[in-house]
Amino acid sequence: MKENILKLSILDQSPIREGGTATDAIFETIELAKKTESFGYHRYWLAEHHDSTGLACAAPEILISQIAASTQHIRVGSGGIMLTHYSALKVAEVFRMLETLNPGRIDLGLGRAPGSSQHVANALASGLETIPLDDYPNQIKDLLGYMNGTLTETHPFHGIRAQPIGETSPQVWILGSSLESAKIAAESGLAFCYAHFINPVLGKQAIQVYRDNFNSSKYYREPIATAGISTLCAPSTEEAMELSWSRYCMRFRKLGVPSVETALNYDYHPAELEYISYSQKRAAIGDPKTVQNRLRKIADELDIDELLLLTITYDFKKRIQSYDLISQQFNLDRI
């Protein structure tokens, strides 16, 4: 990977500050999208989580529409839609509509994790039987068939086409943190995004599995891979490391994103401290140069030319500052 072609993008989980509201988090997401477009980031993806006290991102397809309407150039998409909760036809229709309203700007990232507890997953199914994970590859095939009019003649719903039909289609990505997800992406002939922020260990192997098993398709002639990285940048590495404690403390307190003071004074178990130390070392946390070096190292190790940066802070202004500093350090094409 050449140094000057690394593209940077955003993955946003709409974090809720402790003492703040989910409404605050949603409007901060919209504001952050507008800011990061002006900073020169390539795409902006919205995550899907349900029944969470810390994350407000329950309906990424709605946020995609709002963000696309509030911006002009940045690609906008899901990171991702948890397909096993839904009808493949309905997801195809939603993203066909988004692409029609914003031609050439929409990404459909698909995942199979519940984004919730099994209890919540059952509620999402509205009393109906939940779709087994084993059926996920077939759901992907069905979605592509509905979206592009390619259902086989033997398919029970042959002839059904997701509307509205337009001249362009959303880019479809498979998201995952496992070798199995990488293989599903490869066999489907789709792009692959590895969740490094969830499982930083398997990234190189997963992307290699994806490339080794990739089937060229009408959607992608060659394998296209990226990765989501936990990132936090501040003027000094000391400040960045201090700010990062809010995100990791949030995992254990489950009350939204706590202040730095609360996070630093929390009574951690030894195993929790070990997890935080491990996670901080695997993430890209530091001053602008430190973060730049870490991100380039990860991109080189994975042999990819794009990274999606996930940043969570208690102070929204610090989150904006983090993306701003990285943009300046990488000399992104700012608007």
Side-chain angles (χ1 to χ4, degrees):
M1 185 201 66
K2 296 179 181 179
E3 182 172 290
N4 63 344
I5 63 169
L6 182 60
K7 290 184 289 190
L8 298 180
S9 297
I10 312 292
L11 174 61
D12 189 357
Q13 295 177 327
S14 302
I16 304 169
R17 285 190 311 279
E18 189 174 347
T21 67
T23 299
D24 295 333
I26 293 302
F27 282 97
E28 287 171 359
T29 280
I30 296 168
E31 180 64 21
L32 186 63
K34 292 189 285 189
K35 290 285 189 183
T36 52
E37 177 180 61
S38 73
F39 296 160
Y41 286 86
H42 179 58
R43 68 179 93 235
Y44 199 101
W45 281 4
L46 292 309
E48 177 182 341
H49 292 270
H50 299 280
D51 192 36
S52 172
T53 57
L55 304 173
C57 49
E61 63 275 25
I62 305 299
L63 266 177
I64 290 168
S65 182
Q66 184 67 39
I67 288 172
S70 301
T71 55
Q72 294 181 323
H73 308 290
I74 195 168
R75 294 193 65 89
V76 190
S78 58
I81 295 294
M82 300 298 106
L83 186 56
T84 55
H85 291 318
Y86 310 115
S87 153
L89 173 58
K90 183 59 178 175
V91 174
E93 289 176 332
V94 167
F95 277 80
R96 267 283 176 206
M97 179 64 75
L98 289 169
E99 178 70 18
T100 298
L101 293 170
N102 309 277
R105 293 183 60 202
I106 299 300
D107 298 330
L108 169 53
L110 299 169
R112 59 177 181 159
S116 64
S117 67
Q118 187 56 52
H119 183 59
V120 175
N122 291 339
L124 284 166
S126 190
L128 303 175
E129 184 177 352
T130 56
I131 298 171
L133 288 179
D134 290 348
D135 201 43
Y136 177 57
N138 290 327
Q139 279 191 287
I140 294 170
K141 291 178 184 177
D142 286 352
L143 184 148
L144 294 172
Y146 291 130
M147 187 175 290
N148 299 292
T150 57
L151 292 177
T152 64
E153 291 186 2
T154 58
H155 194 283
F157 299 120
H158 172 71
I160 295 177
R161 182 79 184 268
Q163 297 287 348
I165 300 171
E167 295 181 0
T168 60
S169 293
Q171 286 187 7
V172 183
W173 294 70
I174 301 300
L175 284 55
S177 58
S178 68
L179 302 183
E180 187 175 359
S181 293
K183 195 169 183 181
I184 289 171
E187 292 174 348
S188 302
L190 298 173
F192 177 56
C193 178
Y194 181 75
H196 182 280
F197 66 96
I198 294 176
N199 185 358
V201 176
L202 280 181
K204 185 173 182 179
Q205 186 179 356
I207 289 176
Q208 193 60 54
V209 165
Y210 166 67
R211 290 195 173 109
D212 289 345
N213 292 277
F214 184 78
N215 292 326
S216 181
S217 69
K218 64 181 291 184
Y219 311 107
Y220 296 91
R221 297 299 181 189
E222 298 179 350
I224 302 293
T226 186
I229 313 295
S230 180
T231 311
L232 206 164
C233 188
S236 71
T237 294
E238 181 182 15
E239 181 184 357
M241 291 297 290
E242 191 173 81
L243 290 171
S244 75
W245 281 84
S246 292
R247 181 204 171 155
Y248 297 117
C249 183
M250 169 189 175
R251 178 183 179 92
F252 304 117
R253 294 183 80 241
K254 302 184 186 303
L255 295 171
V257 185
S259 68
V260 173
E261 182 181 6
T262 297
L264 290 174
N265 291 305
Y266 182 67
D267 185 18
Y268 297 96
H269 297 302
E272 294 171 342
L273 289 172
E274 184 178 349
Y275 167 82
I276 292 171
S277 177
Y278 170 83
S279 298
Q280 287 173 328
K281 291 173 183 175
R282 295 285 183 168
I285 302 173
D287 61 50
K289 188 62 178 177
T290 298
V291 169
Q292 181 184 43
N293 290 339
R294 178 66 178 145
L295 292 176
R296 288 206 181 281
K297 183 179 180 182
I298 293 172
D300 287 341
E301 288 175 350
L302 302 181
D303 192 23
I304 55 180
D305 62 9
E306 181 181 0
L307 297 173
L308 286 115
L309 312 185
L310 171 64
T311 298
I312 293 178
T313 61
Y314 174 76
D315 186 335
F316 179 56
K317 291 181 180 179
K318 296 293 185 182
R319 193 152 60 118
I320 294 174
Q321 179 189 61
S322 178
Y323 288 119
D324 190 7
L325 290 171
I326 294 170
S327 166
Q328 293 180 56
Q329 185 67 32
F330 276 88
N331 263 333
L332 299 185
D333 293 330
R334 296 163 73 93
I335 299 173

